[in-house]
Amino acid sequence: MTDRRAEILDTALHVLAEHGMRGLTHRAVDAAAGLPSGSTSYYFRTRDALVGGCLRRLLELDRADLPDELPPGVDLDTLVVIATALCLGMIGEGRFRTLARYELSLHAVRDPALHRELVAAGDELRALGAALLGAVGAADPAATSERLMAMIDGLVYTAIVRPPTDPASWFAGPIRDLVTASARPGGQIARQADRRGLA
């Protein structure tokens, strides 16, 4: 992606976060980016093209945040730290991306092509979660990853709407509880939970 296209789409994501889907126009993006009128429409001729570009840029940024490989010696504590940091980023410096994702997700429900892209990107994240859970001894990594991602979605949404007083604990506690409950008997999670008195 060219720098100018990326600049326009990054600005468009901020416009989405601040003004919602109705506020996403070529003119609004030009103004927010400080670009001459017509700049956004030069790269994205139609509004559908602009919306699609926003989704693909969002997914590109999301993928850049994912590790290329599992950290060595991953354990329950490491997994909780990784997941909690991801959540804190979604309500912190990445809050605009979270809000833009909500807008795009609702729009994608009515757009089959965008919906397929969104689901495929979610599958990548769930696969990474399953790999991490499998590494620490979850009995059913894929199912647990599905539940974990759904729970994180709910926690993040609630934290956006009603910010918790202690965000780190707000995320870490439920994440640890769910992952601990997924333990395979005698597995690494179960052994760690036993030591903490959680099993």
Side-chain angles (χ1 to χ4, degrees):
M1 182 178 295
T2 65
D3 290 343
R4 178 51 60 89
R5 287 174 69 90
E7 176 190 355
I8 288 172
L9 292 175
D10 288 347
T11 301
L13 292 175
H14 282 279
V15 171
L16 260 178
E18 186 172 353
H19 302 290
M21 188 61 70
R22 286 189 177 183
L24 181 66
T25 65
H26 292 82
R27 182 176 298 178
V29 176
D30 285 342
L35 295 172
S37 180
S39 297
T40 299
S41 61
Y42 175 80
Y43 290 95
F44 304 96
R45 295 292 185 182
T46 65
R47 190 169 186 276
D48 284 345
L50 179 59
V51 171
C54 284
L55 178 62
R56 284 180 278 280
R57 177 58 175 167
L58 181 64
L59 300 182
E60 179 183 9
L61 293 170
D62 287 345
R63 290 187 183 101
D65 288 343
L66 300 179
D68 293 329
E69 55 187 23
L70 296 182
V74 63
D75 58 12
L76 172 61
D77 290 331
T78 304
L79 191 152
V80 173
V81 167
I82 290 172
T84 300
L86 174 68
C87 294
L88 291 174
M90 291 173 72
I91 67 169
E93 63 183 20
R95 186 176 188 273
F96 78 95
R97 282 163 56 184
T98 302
L99 293 175
R101 184 178 293 104
Y102 291 153
E103 294 288 341
L104 290 166
S105 295
L106 289 173
H107 183 78
V109 170
R110 302 172 185 86
D111 186 318
L114 290 181
H115 185 262
R116 285 192 294 272
E117 291 188 64
L118 198 63
V119 170
D123 287 343
E124 289 183 38
L125 187 58
R126 284 183 282 273
L128 175 63
L132 286 167
L133 287 159
V136 299
D140 188 341
T144 302
S145 179
E146 190 80 34
R147 290 194 297 271
L148 179 61
M149 299 308 164
M151 185 183 74
I152 285 175
D153 281 342
L155 290 171
V156 169
Y157 177 82
T158 302
I160 288 284
V161 175
R162 190 181 62 198
T165 55
D166 184 356
S169 296
W170 166 259
F171 291 118
I175 290 170
R176 183 180 293 280
D177 289 346
L178 186 150
V179 175
T180 298
S182 76
R184 181 171 55 241
Q188 185 182 141
I189 294 176
R191 293 195 300 274
Q192 287 183 273
D194 284 337
R195 289 197 298 272
R196 294 172 177 270
L198 298 174

